[in-house]
Amino acid sequence: MKLIYLGLPLGALMLYREGHDLAAACISRPSMPGMRRLRQIMSTLNAPLLGRPDLTQPAVQALLASTDADLVVSWFWTRRIPATMVALAPRGGVNVHPSLLPRHRGADPYFWTLALGDAETGVTAHRITARYDEGDILLQRKMAVPPDVNAGKLARLLDRPSLEVLRDVVDLIERGEETAIPQDTSLATQAPKPTDEDCELIWDLPVDAVLRTIRAASPDPGAFTGFGDDTLVILKARKAEKVPRGLEPGDVALTPEGVLIACRGGEGIVVLEAAREGEERTRQGRDVAALIPGIGVVSL
């Protein structure tokens, strides 16, 4: 089956190894691993290889239409795919999304999976339609969300199952054995890129909610809080074993456990890794105290 591939190089390489014909490849991030090997393959095939093309441009669509591809396949293509693009292939288009659709439709399901405390996540192969992440479900794989995982690690954990689902759904379509299940719109949630409001730490919340925000925003864009004129980006933390009496939510102290920030209900977090906003260097453990002017030492 002839494919127009959209996305990261590794997905195209996997489909080629599986014996599929890459009629064209459009790469969302040409700097990612596998690009050199993919260039060699596409050159041997005498097939178009485009880096971040604008799929709405008539010239791009004309070039891709000339390949007479059967199916459009997307794996981490980061922009909307126009319906005119999908219409180029008689078997339509399929995308793999890193959530259990219809939950977490949108650009950053990793953040919202962790911020909302989901116990389960996974990947979904679905038909590409005019509306983002709303096409019929063709295949899903589920996975428990590991404790204490952050968004970056969750993304890496889902890479392999998403490649497996990509492989399997293309095989099903080639054999004509796919089953399309409409999404239940009553269960749909949105997963846009988080805003500053989503990433700002609110200390008058339970400690578990604070830790979820830290994990959801790590490593990028990072959960943050203000101390005086500085902004502290907290990348890693854990629940404090002991919190000194008399601390109010947002109060900070240097304890034997490390830098502690109080939360609601007499609980708190210990900051394990942090940085000043705008600085690449991070501090770990008790060295985090250097980022907080005037921090006091408290004995428990």
Side-chain angles (χ1 to χ4, degrees):
M1 185 163 57
K2 296 176 69 175
L3 308 177
I4 294 174
Y5 176 82
L6 313 174
L8 297 179
L10 289 180
L13 293 174
M14 183 274 298
L15 291 169
Y16 178 76
R17 288 194 300 269
E18 292 292 314
H20 296 291
D21 184 356
L22 296 177
C26 302
I27 303 303
S28 53
R29 295 176 64 186
S31 61
M32 293 295 283
M35 192 63 185
R36 178 180 297 181
R37 174 63 178 147
L38 184 60
R39 284 195 186 98
Q40 296 171 344
I41 291 170
M42 300 306 284
S43 176
T44 300
L45 296 174
N46 195 28
L49 175 62
L50 308 177
R52 278 184 255 172
D54 182 349
L55 298 180
T56 67
Q57 291 297 309
V60 172
Q61 292 195 10
L63 174 61
L64 297 176
S66 70
T67 65
D68 294 323
D70 301 298
L71 179 70
V72 175
V73 177
S74 168
W75 188 70
F76 290 103
W77 180 259
T78 54
R79 287 175 284 178
R80 192 178 299 276
I81 301 169
T84 50
M85 176 75 208
V86 179
L88 297 178
R91 297 199 183 188
V94 64
N95 176 60
V96 178
H97 182 75
S99 80
L100 295 175
L101 292 175
R103 188 161 177 80
H104 302 322
R105 296 170 171 172
D108 199 342
Y110 310 116
F111 178 91
W112 295 103
T113 294
L114 296 178
L116 297 177
D118 291 4
E120 188 176 55
T121 187
V123 294
T124 304
H126 66 95
R127 282 291 179 180
I128 300 171
T129 59
R131 297 178 67 86
Y132 204 50
D133 296 333
E134 294 189 12
D136 290 352
I137 293 171
L138 302 179
L139 196 61
Q140 282 189 328
R141 297 280 165 77
K142 297 180 180 181
M143 182 188 81
V145 177
D148 300 327
V149 72
N150 67 20
K153 291 181 179 178
L154 181 62
R156 291 193 293 274
L157 286 172
L158 289 174
D159 277 351
R160 177 170 290 183
S162 67
L163 276 172
E164 292 172 352
V165 164
L166 177 68
R167 175 198 65 203
D168 293 347
V169 77
V170 171
D171 288 345
L172 286 171
I173 293 171
E174 184 172 37
R175 297 195 302 268
E177 297 176 0
E178 73 275 19
T179 299
I181 301 173
Q183 294 189 34
D184 184 345
T185 57
S186 69
L187 301 177
T189 64
Q190 300 303 311
K193 282 289 185 183
T195 65
D196 282 352
E197 184 176 354
D198 297 321
C199 296
E200 183 174 7
L201 292 166
I202 308 300
W203 299 109
D204 193 18
L205 287 176
V207 67
D208 289 343
V210 172
L211 290 171
R212 286 200 303 268
T213 300
I214 293 170
R215 291 195 298 269
S218 181
D220 184 67
F224 68 93
T225 188
F227 288 110
D229 295 331
D230 290 327
T231 298
L232 185 71
V233 179
I234 300 178
L235 300 170
K236 189 176 180 180
R238 64 169 174 82
K239 185 176 180 178
E241 295 179 7
K242 296 182 179 180
V243 177
R245 292 181 180 180
L247 292 185
E248 297 293 329
D251 286 350
V252 58
L254 183 59
T255 74
E257 291 188 69
V259 173
L260 182 147
I261 306 175
C263 302
R264 178 194 294 180
E267 296 186 308
I269 68 163
V270 175
V271 181
L272 302 177
E273 184 176 2
R276 272 198 191 90
E277 186 176 43
E279 295 183 0
E280 292 186 7
R281 180 188 176 189
T282 66
R283 308 284 183 118
Q284 298 179 346
R286 294 179 69 85
D287 290 342
V288 172
L291 302 174
I292 306 174
I295 187 172
V297 178
V298 176
S299 298
L300 298 179

PDB file of all heavy atoms in Angstrom, residues 203 227 243-254 259-263 267-269 295:
ATOM      1  N   TRP A 203      -0.807  27.327  46.359  1.00  0.00           N
ATOM      2  CA  TRP A 203      -0.385  26.634  47.572  1.00  0.00           C
ATOM      3  C   TRP A 203      -1.546  26.322  48.495  1.00  0.00           C
ATOM      4  O   TRP A 203      -1.437  25.428  49.345  1.00  0.00           O
ATOM      5  CB  TRP A 203       0.689  27.443  48.293  1.00  0.00           C
ATOM      6  CG  TRP A 203       1.890  27.610  47.422  1.00  0.00           C
ATOM      7  CD1 TRP A 203       2.310  28.753  46.815  1.00  0.00           C
ATOM      8  CD2 TRP A 203       2.786  26.577  47.001  1.00  0.00           C
ATOM      9  NE1 TRP A 203       3.432  28.504  46.042  1.00  0.00           N
ATOM     10  CE2 TRP A 203       3.741  27.177  46.143  1.00  0.00           C
ATOM     11  CE3 TRP A 203       2.882  25.208  47.261  1.00  0.00           C
ATOM     12  CZ2 TRP A 203       4.772  26.457  45.548  1.00  0.00           C
ATOM     13  CZ3 TRP A 203       3.903  24.487  46.671  1.00  0.00           C
ATOM     14  CH2 TRP A 203       4.839  25.102  45.834  1.00  0.00           C
ATOM     15  N   PHE A 227       8.453  34.310  44.452  1.00  0.00           N
ATOM     16  CA  PHE A 227       8.999  34.630  45.761  1.00  0.00           C
ATOM     17  C   PHE A 227       9.651  36.004  45.660  1.00  0.00           C
ATOM     18  O   PHE A 227      10.716  36.156  45.051  1.00  0.00           O
ATOM     19  CB  PHE A 227      10.025  33.590  46.224  1.00  0.00           C
ATOM     20  CG  PHE A 227       9.419  32.272  46.616  1.00  0.00           C
ATOM     21  CD1 PHE A 227       9.609  31.148  45.848  1.00  0.00           C
ATOM     22  CD2 PHE A 227       8.657  32.166  47.761  1.00  0.00           C
ATOM     23  CE1 PHE A 227       9.050  29.928  46.200  1.00  0.00           C
ATOM     24  CE2 PHE A 227       8.092  30.956  48.140  1.00  0.00           C
ATOM     25  CZ  PHE A 227       8.287  29.844  47.359  1.00  0.00           C
ATOM     26  N   VAL A 243       5.967  18.664  58.483  1.00  0.00           N
ATOM     27  CA  VAL A 243       5.831  20.090  58.196  1.00  0.00           C
ATOM     28  C   VAL A 243       5.818  20.840  59.521  1.00  0.00           C
ATOM     29  O   VAL A 243       5.032  20.504  60.418  1.00  0.00           O
ATOM     30  CB  VAL A 243       4.535  20.373  57.406  1.00  0.00           C
ATOM     31  CG1 VAL A 243       4.365  21.877  57.179  1.00  0.00           C
ATOM     32  CG2 VAL A 243       4.562  19.634  56.073  1.00  0.00           C
ATOM     33  N   PRO A 244       6.695  21.842  59.682  1.00  0.00           N
ATOM     34  CA  PRO A 244       6.715  22.599  60.948  1.00  0.00           C
ATOM     35  C   PRO A 244       5.368  23.233  61.260  1.00  0.00           C
ATOM     36  O   PRO A 244       4.650  23.673  60.349  1.00  0.00           O
ATOM     37  CB  PRO A 244       7.778  23.678  60.687  1.00  0.00           C
ATOM     38  CG  PRO A 244       8.636  23.114  59.603  1.00  0.00           C
ATOM     39  CD  PRO A 244       7.721  22.300  58.742  1.00  0.00           C
ATOM     40  N   ARG A 245       5.006  23.273  62.514  1.00  0.00           N
ATOM     41  CA  ARG A 245       3.765  23.898  62.917  1.00  0.00           C
ATOM     42  C   ARG A 245       3.824  25.402  62.641  1.00  0.00           C
ATOM     43  O   ARG A 245       4.881  26.025  62.718  1.00  0.00           O
ATOM     44  CB  ARG A 245       3.510  23.663  64.405  1.00  0.00           C
ATOM     45  CG  ARG A 245       3.206  22.214  64.747  1.00  0.00           C
ATOM     46  CD  ARG A 245       2.937  22.072  66.235  1.00  0.00           C
ATOM     47  NE  ARG A 245       2.642  20.682  66.598  1.00  0.00           N
ATOM     48  CZ  ARG A 245       2.375  20.280  67.830  1.00  0.00           C
ATOM     49  NH1 ARG A 245       2.375  21.183  68.820  1.00  0.00           N
ATOM     50  NH2 ARG A 245       2.110  19.013  68.079  1.00  0.00           N
ATOM     51  N   GLY A 246       2.651  25.956  62.356  1.00  0.00           N
ATOM     52  CA  GLY A 246       2.550  27.400  62.190  1.00  0.00           C
ATOM     53  C   GLY A 246       2.771  27.902  60.785  1.00  0.00           C
ATOM     54  O   GLY A 246       2.563  29.090  60.522  1.00  0.00           O
ATOM     55  N   LEU A 247       3.192  27.035  59.854  1.00  0.00           N
ATOM     56  CA  LEU A 247       3.381  27.475  58.473  1.00  0.00           C
ATOM     57  C   LEU A 247       2.036  27.589  57.770  1.00  0.00           C
ATOM     58  O   LEU A 247       1.182  26.701  57.870  1.00  0.00           O
ATOM     59  CB  LEU A 247       4.273  26.505  57.704  1.00  0.00           C
ATOM     60  CG  LEU A 247       5.749  26.430  58.123  1.00  0.00           C
ATOM     61  CD1 LEU A 247       6.506  25.506  57.177  1.00  0.00           C
ATOM     62  CD2 LEU A 247       6.399  27.804  58.146  1.00  0.00           C
ATOM     63  N   GLU A 248       1.874  28.680  57.032  1.00  0.00           N
ATOM     64  CA  GLU A 248       0.681  28.878  56.220  1.00  0.00           C
ATOM     65  C   GLU A 248       0.964  28.452  54.788  1.00  0.00           C
ATOM     66  O   GLU A 248       2.130  28.394  54.369  1.00  0.00           O
ATOM     67  CB  GLU A 248       0.263  30.353  56.251  1.00  0.00           C
ATOM     68  CG  GLU A 248      -0.133  30.872  57.619  1.00  0.00           C
ATOM     69  CD  GLU A 248      -1.405  30.221  58.133  1.00  0.00           C
ATOM     70  OE1 GLU A 248      -2.272  29.867  57.294  1.00  0.00           O
ATOM     71  OE2 GLU A 248      -1.536  30.056  59.367  1.00  0.00           O
ATOM     72  N   PRO A 249      -0.087  28.130  54.006  1.00  0.00           N
ATOM     73  CA  PRO A 249       0.150  27.760  52.600  1.00  0.00           C
ATOM     74  C   PRO A 249       0.995  28.810  51.877  1.00  0.00           C
ATOM     75  O   PRO A 249       0.712  30.005  51.939  1.00  0.00           O
ATOM     76  CB  PRO A 249      -1.267  27.687  52.031  1.00  0.00           C
ATOM     77  CG  PRO A 249      -2.116  27.297  53.192  1.00  0.00           C
ATOM     78  CD  PRO A 249      -1.518  28.024  54.370  1.00  0.00           C
ATOM     79  N   GLY A 250       2.059  28.335  51.226  1.00  0.00           N
ATOM     80  CA  GLY A 250       2.977  29.221  50.519  1.00  0.00           C
ATOM     81  C   GLY A 250       4.195  29.605  51.313  1.00  0.00           C
ATOM     82  O   GLY A 250       5.181  30.106  50.746  1.00  0.00           O
ATOM     83  N   ASP A 251       4.190  29.395  52.636  1.00  0.00           N
ATOM     84  CA  ASP A 251       5.380  29.665  53.435  1.00  0.00           C
ATOM     85  C   ASP A 251       6.481  28.678  53.065  1.00  0.00           C
ATOM     86  O   ASP A 251       6.217  27.504  52.758  1.00  0.00           O
ATOM     87  CB  ASP A 251       5.069  29.530  54.931  1.00  0.00           C
ATOM     88  CG  ASP A 251       4.255  30.691  55.469  1.00  0.00           C
ATOM     89  OD1 ASP A 251       4.099  31.689  54.741  1.00  0.00           O
ATOM     90  OD2 ASP A 251       3.771  30.583  56.614  1.00  0.00           O
ATOM     91  N   VAL A 252       7.709  29.153  53.100  1.00  0.00           N
ATOM     92  CA  VAL A 252       8.842  28.317  52.693  1.00  0.00           C
ATOM     93  C   VAL A 252       9.870  28.284  53.819  1.00  0.00           C
ATOM     94  O   VAL A 252      10.082  29.277  54.517  1.00  0.00           O
ATOM     95  CB  VAL A 252       9.467  28.845  51.381  1.00  0.00           C
ATOM     96  CG1 VAL A 252       9.930  30.281  51.534  1.00  0.00           C
ATOM     97  CG2 VAL A 252      10.616  27.975  50.905  1.00  0.00           C
ATOM     98  N   ALA A 253      10.498  27.137  54.018  1.00  0.00           N
ATOM     99  CA  ALA A 253      11.494  26.984  55.078  1.00  0.00           C
ATOM    100  C   ALA A 253      12.506  25.932  54.653  1.00  0.00           C
ATOM    101  O   ALA A 253      12.203  25.024  53.858  1.00  0.00           O
ATOM    102  CB  ALA A 253      10.825  26.574  56.391  1.00  0.00           C
ATOM    103  N   LEU A 254      13.715  26.078  55.187  1.00  0.00           N
ATOM    104  CA  LEU A 254      14.752  25.066  54.958  1.00  0.00           C
ATOM    105  C   LEU A 254      14.750  24.128  56.156  1.00  0.00           C
ATOM    106  O   LEU A 254      15.081  24.513  57.273  1.00  0.00           O
ATOM    107  CB  LEU A 254      16.113  25.728  54.792  1.00  0.00           C
ATOM    108  CG  LEU A 254      17.281  24.795  54.464  1.00  0.00           C
ATOM    109  CD1 LEU A 254      17.028  24.037  53.170  1.00  0.00           C
ATOM    110  CD2 LEU A 254      18.588  25.579  54.385  1.00  0.00           C
ATOM    111  N   VAL A 259      14.305  22.108  51.062  1.00  0.00           N
ATOM    112  CA  VAL A 259      13.447  23.280  50.935  1.00  0.00           C
ATOM    113  C   VAL A 259      11.996  22.823  50.935  1.00  0.00           C
ATOM    114  O   VAL A 259      11.570  22.069  50.056  1.00  0.00           O
ATOM    115  CB  VAL A 259      13.771  24.058  49.651  1.00  0.00           C
ATOM    116  CG1 VAL A 259      12.749  25.181  49.442  1.00  0.00           C
ATOM    117  CG2 VAL A 259      15.174  24.636  49.715  1.00  0.00           C
ATOM    118  N   LEU A 260      11.248  23.293  51.927  1.00  0.00           N
ATOM    119  CA  LEU A 260       9.864  22.873  52.121  1.00  0.00           C
ATOM    120  C   LEU A 260       8.935  24.053  51.867  1.00  0.00           C
ATOM    121  O   LEU A 260       9.213  25.172  52.300  1.00  0.00           O
ATOM    122  CB  LEU A 260       9.678  22.339  53.539  1.00  0.00           C
ATOM    123  CG  LEU A 260       8.298  21.802  53.925  1.00  0.00           C
ATOM    124  CD1 LEU A 260       8.448  20.662  54.919  1.00  0.00           C
ATOM    125  CD2 LEU A 260       7.413  22.894  54.521  1.00  0.00           C
ATOM    126  N   ILE A 261       7.843  23.790  51.142  1.00  0.00           N
ATOM    127  CA  ILE A 261       6.815  24.795  50.926  1.00  0.00           C
ATOM    128  C   ILE A 261       5.497  24.218  51.423  1.00  0.00           C
ATOM    129  O   ILE A 261       5.115  23.101  51.049  1.00  0.00           O
ATOM    130  CB  ILE A 261       6.705  25.199  49.444  1.00  0.00           C
ATOM    131  CG1 ILE A 261       8.065  25.650  48.904  1.00  0.00           C
ATOM    132  CG2 ILE A 261       5.669  26.323  49.270  1.00  0.00           C
ATOM    133  CD1 ILE A 261       8.073  25.962  47.415  1.00  0.00           C
ATOM    134  N   ALA A 262       4.812  24.983  52.264  1.00  0.00           N
ATOM    135  CA  ALA A 262       3.590  24.499  52.899  1.00  0.00           C
ATOM    136  C   ALA A 262       2.405  24.565  51.942  1.00  0.00           C
ATOM    137  O   ALA A 262       2.294  25.478  51.116  1.00  0.00           O
ATOM    138  CB  ALA A 262       3.287  25.330  54.148  1.00  0.00           C
ATOM    139  N   CYS A 263       1.507  23.592  52.079  1.00  0.00           N
ATOM    140  CA  CYS A 263       0.267  23.530  51.313  1.00  0.00           C
ATOM    141  C   CYS A 263      -0.914  23.530  52.282  1.00  0.00           C
ATOM    142  O   CYS A 263      -0.748  23.720  53.487  1.00  0.00           O
ATOM    143  CB  CYS A 263       0.238  22.266  50.443  1.00  0.00           C
ATOM    144  SG  CYS A 263       1.603  22.125  49.290  1.00  0.00           S
ATOM    145  N   GLU A 267       0.057  20.209  55.314  1.00  0.00           N
ATOM    146  CA  GLU A 267       0.978  19.378  54.518  1.00  0.00           C
ATOM    147  C   GLU A 267       1.880  20.274  53.690  1.00  0.00           C
ATOM    148  O   GLU A 267       1.741  21.496  53.685  1.00  0.00           O
ATOM    149  CB  GLU A 267       0.189  18.411  53.645  1.00  0.00           C
ATOM    150  CG  GLU A 267      -0.616  17.403  54.450  1.00  0.00           C
ATOM    151  CD  GLU A 267      -1.279  16.368  53.553  1.00  0.00           C
ATOM    152  OE1 GLU A 267      -1.962  16.770  52.589  1.00  0.00           O
ATOM    153  OE2 GLU A 267      -1.121  15.167  53.851  1.00  0.00           O
ATOM    154  N   GLY A 268       2.816  19.657  52.975  1.00  0.00           N
ATOM    155  CA  GLY A 268       3.729  20.453  52.174  1.00  0.00           C
ATOM    156  C   GLY A 268       4.543  19.598  51.232  1.00  0.00           C
ATOM    157  O   GLY A 268       4.467  18.367  51.258  1.00  0.00           O
ATOM    158  N   ILE A 269       5.317  20.280  50.378  1.00  0.00           N
ATOM    159  CA  ILE A 269       6.210  19.583  49.452  1.00  0.00           C
ATOM    160  C   ILE A 269       7.660  19.894  49.807  1.00  0.00           C
ATOM    161  O   ILE A 269       7.964  20.925  50.402  1.00  0.00           O
ATOM    162  CB  ILE A 269       5.955  19.991  47.985  1.00  0.00           C
ATOM    163  CG1 ILE A 269       6.354  21.450  47.746  1.00  0.00           C
ATOM    164  CG2 ILE A 269       4.509  19.734  47.587  1.00  0.00           C
ATOM    165  CD1 ILE A 269       6.515  21.825  46.282  1.00  0.00           C
ATOM    166  N   ILE A 295      15.465  32.752  52.898  1.00  0.00           N
ATOM    167  CA  ILE A 295      14.849  31.537  53.419  1.00  0.00           C
ATOM    168  C   ILE A 295      15.370  31.247  54.826  1.00  0.00           C
ATOM    169  O   ILE A 295      16.564  31.389  55.095  1.00  0.00           O
ATOM    170  CB  ILE A 295      15.088  30.340  52.472  1.00  0.00           C
ATOM    171  CG1 ILE A 295      14.286  29.122  52.950  1.00  0.00           C
ATOM    172  CG2 ILE A 295      16.542  30.010  52.365  1.00  0.00           C
ATOM    173  CD1 ILE A 295      14.329  27.965  51.955  1.00  0.00           C
TER     174      ILE A 295
END
